[in-house]
Amino acid sequence: MIIREKEPANLEMPFGQLAGFFTPNDQFYIRAHFPVPEIDPASWRLRLEGEVREARVWSLEDLRKLPATTVPATLECAGNSRVFLVPKVKGTQWELGAVGNAEWTGVSLGEVLRVTGLKEGALEVVLEGADSGAISDPPKPAGKIHYARSVPLGKALEGVLLAYEMNGEPLTPAHGFPLRAVVPGWYGMAAVKWLQRIVVTDRPYNGYYQTVDYAFWQRDAAGVHLVPITEMQVKAAIARPGVNEVIAAGTSYKVTGAAWTAEAEIVKVELSTDGGSSWQTASLGKEKARNSWRLWEYDWSVPPAPGRRVLLARATDSRGRAQPMERDPDRGSYEINHCLPIEVEIR
Ligand SMILES: Nc1nc2c(c(=O)[nH]1)N[C@H]1C(S)=C(S)[C@@H](COP(=O)(O)O)O[C@H]1N2
Ligand SMILES: [Mo]
């Protein structure tokens, strides 16, 4: 793993290691704002409060008694590929590997909410982690805050998993033991780890991690306004070759990668080996699942002449969304899904 930060641990998968549909747990990237909280599973409780019929606490045992489901989902950090932004922006300088695909097992948040019972005014559901710390750069609240994100009630009832297993194994401490949220189709920041409290609110939640952080400027009929980052944008990433890789002239090279989107299928991945002048269709891998990435490959006949070449991949999904060639500046330092140049050397 590439160490982007030691404490708290922020680790990236070297994306050239991409090998299969599911990312092994020990290769799955780790993103954390604060140190991993120490949690004793026996005394751990999940508190559920706010606009519910009656506030209650859940033990791990209670949750495991509810029907379990297994859901494959790709998590991509909203800041993945930030190192490609020009000019440079603040934040962890992820290359391509702050993304992974896993099978998550747990109980649906909707089930837990239905069993608990909701009040009429319920509007959003705030997911709070047990980790906390102080923010260094203003604007910031005073003192320590917990990591927290909200989902609208509709999403909370249908599309959120409270997971205790990842690829068939109990969550590791770094990935949110004993319980984390998984919000398939949304960027990783929604997948709150180390859950300790769920609060149903009767008004929009404007917490730090969906206003000051993890938000972008949306332009619509209402003008320009700040909205929380939610759904993943369509994106294809090249795993091999890597940046500055030396490739033998006149040979055949298998270009590989993955492509993902939200609530849609990847229908096409195109590859350019000449900086975007021409595009060829890559072949898509057999394995697929909603909100999971699709592997792809392309057999490149490497030109006989030495020189530098820029490779680009471009995905299109069944909602008709395609990757843009240019960066959208309203996305700030997040949602980096324009076609990323991978420059190689033919020798
Ligand atoms: N409690 C808590 N949950 C969190 C975070 C965090 O710092 N604290 N980071 C979020 C971000 S930004 C991402 S991208 C994902 C990463 O999940 P992973 O470390 O299991 O890959 O966790 C999310 N959940
Ligand atoms: Mo993230």
Side-chain angles (χ1 to χ4, degrees), residues 41 106 117 137 146 234-235 244 284 338:
D137 294 331
H146 285 279
V234 62
K235 179 170 175 178
N244 285 326
L284 301 178
H338 63 290

Side-chain angles (χ1 to χ4, degrees), residues 29 31 76-79 188-189 214:
Y29 80 97
R31 170 71 178 119
E76 183 191 12
C77 181
M189 81 277 119
Y214 297 115

Side-chain angles (χ1 to χ4, degrees), residues 52-300:
V52 287
R53 230 171 26 220
E54 207 177 337
R56 69 169 282 185
V57 294
W58 295 79
S59 67
L60 262 185
E61 226 174 291
D62 295 337
L63 290 168
R64 282 179 179 273
K65 279 183 199 142
L66 295 177
T69 46
T70 297
V71 180
T74 291
L75 291 193
E76 183 191 12
C77 181
N80 190 29
S81 308
R82 189 175 280 139
V83 75
F84 288 92
L85 295 184
V86 183
K88 287 255 165 287
V89 294
K90 271 204 207 163
T92 310
Q93 296 296 303
W94 304 108
E95 201 205 71
L96 295 165
V99 60
N101 187 45
E103 226 172 12
W104 309 93
T105 301
V107 301
S108 102
L109 171 59
E111 176 76 14
V112 174
L113 292 173
R114 273 184 284 269
V115 169
T116 311
L118 293 170
K119 282 192 179 157
E120 212 152 88
L123 184 72
E124 287 193 16
V125 178
V126 180
L127 308 169
E128 183 186 86
D131 53 332
S132 68
I135 309 288
S136 45
D137 294 331
K140 61 178 178 113
K144 289 182 165 189
I145 61 169
H146 285 279
Y147 186 87
R149 280 282 298 194
S150 78
V151 283
L153 185 65
K155 186 82 182 165
L157 289 173
E158 297 302 330
V160 179
L161 187 73
L162 303 180
Y164 40 75
E165 279 178 17
M166 176 179 186
N167 290 328
E169 284 166 23
L171 292 174
T172 60
H175 289 296
F177 176 85
L179 191 74
R180 76 174 304 168
V182 174
V183 186
W186 285 26
Y187 281 105
M189 81 277 119
V192 178
K193 302 192 275 190
W194 311 296
L195 284 170
Q196 65 169 10
R197 198 162 70 104
I198 293 179
V199 190
V200 181
T201 65
D202 61 0
R203 65 203 64 188
Y205 172 72
N206 293 320
Y208 182 86
Y209 292 102
Q210 55 198 57
T211 52
V212 181
D213 207 356
Y214 297 115
F216 71 98
W217 295 104
Q218 184 165 292
R219 288 167 199 272
D220 55 27
V224 191
H225 54 120
L226 205 52
V227 296
I229 291 174
T230 56
E231 243 185 16
M232 290 193 289
Q233 303 293 312
V234 62
K235 179 170 175 178
I238 297 173
R240 286 183 299 277
V243 175
N244 285 326
E245 189 170 319
V246 176
I247 297 176
T251 56
S252 174
Y253 186 103
K254 195 180 284 297
V255 180
T256 62
W260 56 94
T261 181
E263 301 303 343
E265 275 196 44
I266 292 293
V267 292
K268 188 168 64 173
V269 173
E270 295 160 291
L271 188 81
S272 173
T273 55
D274 55 12
S277 303
S278 64
W279 295 85
Q280 285 77 37
T281 306
S283 45
L284 301 178
K286 268 201 289 298
E287 282 171 286
K288 58 175 180 172
R290 201 162 188 82
N291 297 316
S292 275
W293 65 23
R294 189 93 184 252
L295 302 184
W296 57 265
E297 58 179 53
Y298 175 76
D299 286 314
W300 181 27

